[in-house]
């Protein structure tokens, strides 16, 4: 290839390498962003899962405690207080229970949390005479447990889907980055080879120009020498003619 053609190839390769580098950088930035989001959501999920598991465990224990007694009056005060604390703990997730508990059930839970003793005093009180039976609290606890278990299952399913989506994205981006880097490596090598050929072509061109200049100079000198030789030959011819004429006259 000529110098002009090699220079054009070099310019094209430089442009293509820059474009590939830009694409690789963009893909890497997208992957880094997706990774940061995934790590943040995973941390949030782990915290939520831990909280839900603790709440479910506490609810199961409360349900077990209540299932062993026919009424609150038969239940030790410490057990009742433990049940009330469990309900208080799980009520932190009130939004999750919004569509599960009725307004009256929420009021009952609040009343029970504030004064569990009103539901198990040995001596009947005014409140206790109107207090719901243990079965209602038991039913509410079961509802809470089922709701939390359903939410946990949904959360775990969503997390698995999010993780799968991230892994698919990660694999795609890594493939694009690898392909882009391979293009960069290949074209960088091609560019080095092209630039080397171009440099050699320039040297060859200069050598050719120098050789041509030397040839032209030689031809010029040869032509000049030939002209001088022709002049000398003509001069000798004239001199010889004169000599021959002189000899003829002398005879």
């Amino acid at each position: 290839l000529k110098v002009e053609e090699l220079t054009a190839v070099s310019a094209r390769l430089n442009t293509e390498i820059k474009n590939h580098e830009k694409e690789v950088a963009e893909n890497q930035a997208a992957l880094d962003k997706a990774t940061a989001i995934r790590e943040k959501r995973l941390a949030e999920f782990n915290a939520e899962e831990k909280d839900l598991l603790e709440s479910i465990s506490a609810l199961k224990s409360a349900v077990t405690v209540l299932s062993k007694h026919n009424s609150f009056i038969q239940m030790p005060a410490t057990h009742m207080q433990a049940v009330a604390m469990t309900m208080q703990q799980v009520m932190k997730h009130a939004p999750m229970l919004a569509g599960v508990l009725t307004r009256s059930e929420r009021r009952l839970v609040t009343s029970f949390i504030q004064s569990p003793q009103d539901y198990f005093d040995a001596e009947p009180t005014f409140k206790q005479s109107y207090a719901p039976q243990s079965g209602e609290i038991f039913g509410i606890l079961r509802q809470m447990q089922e709701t939390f278990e359903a939410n946990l299952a949904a959360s775990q399913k969503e997390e698995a889907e999010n993780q799968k989506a991230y892994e698919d994205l990660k694999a795609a981006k890594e493939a694009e980055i690898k392909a882009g880097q391979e293009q960069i490596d290949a074209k960088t090598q091609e560019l080095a080879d092209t630039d080397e050929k171009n440099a050699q072509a320039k040297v060859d061109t200069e050598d050719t120009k120098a050789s041509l200049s030397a040839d032209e100079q030689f031809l010029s000198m040869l032509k000049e020498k030939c002209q001088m030789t022709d002049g000398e030959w003509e001069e000798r011819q004239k001199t010889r003619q004169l000599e021959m004429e002189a000899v003829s006259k002398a005879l």
Side-chain angles (χ1 to χ4, degrees), residues 117-131:
Q117 68 278 3
D118 289 342
Y119 295 83
F120 65 83
D121 282 345
E123 295 296 327
T125 63
F126 175 77
K127 283 188 178 180
Q128 189 182 357
S129 65
Y130 294 95

Side-chain angles (χ1 to χ4, degrees), residues 13 21 38 64 74 81 111 127 132 137 142 150-151 158 168 171 183 204 220 234 242 248:
L13 287 170
E21 287 174 339
R38 178 85 285 267
T64 300
Q74 298 175 351
Q81 287 168 347
S111 174
K127 283 188 178 180
I137 294 293
R142 287 297 298 271
N151 275 276
E158 183 182 0
D168 290 345
Q183 286 290 318
D204 293 344
S220 177
E234 289 177 1
L242 289 172
S248 297

Side-chain angles (χ1 to χ4, degrees), residues 225-240:
K225 186 175 181 180
C226 288
Q227 288 175 344
M228 288 176 64
T229 302
D230 289 345
E232 290 173 355
W233 186 80
E234 289 177 1
E235 189 64 31
R236 282 200 302 273
Q237 286 291 94
K238 286 180 182 179
T239 302
R240 186 178 178 188

Side-chain angles (χ1 to χ4, degrees), residues 1-2 10 18 31 41 45 54 58 67 71 75-76 103 111 113 126 151 156 163 174 181 189-190 204 208 219 231:
L1 293 176
K2 296 180 181 179
S10 179
K18 286 179 181 177
L31 177 55
R41 288 182 178 171
F45 164 76
E54 289 174 352
S67 66
S71 70
M75 187 180 296
R103 186 173 298 177
S111 174
I113 290 171
F126 175 77
N151 275 276
Q156 288 172 333
Q163 181 63 27
E174 285 178 342
Q181 192 58 55
Q189 183 59 53
E190 186 181 352
D204 293 344
T208 301
L219 287 172

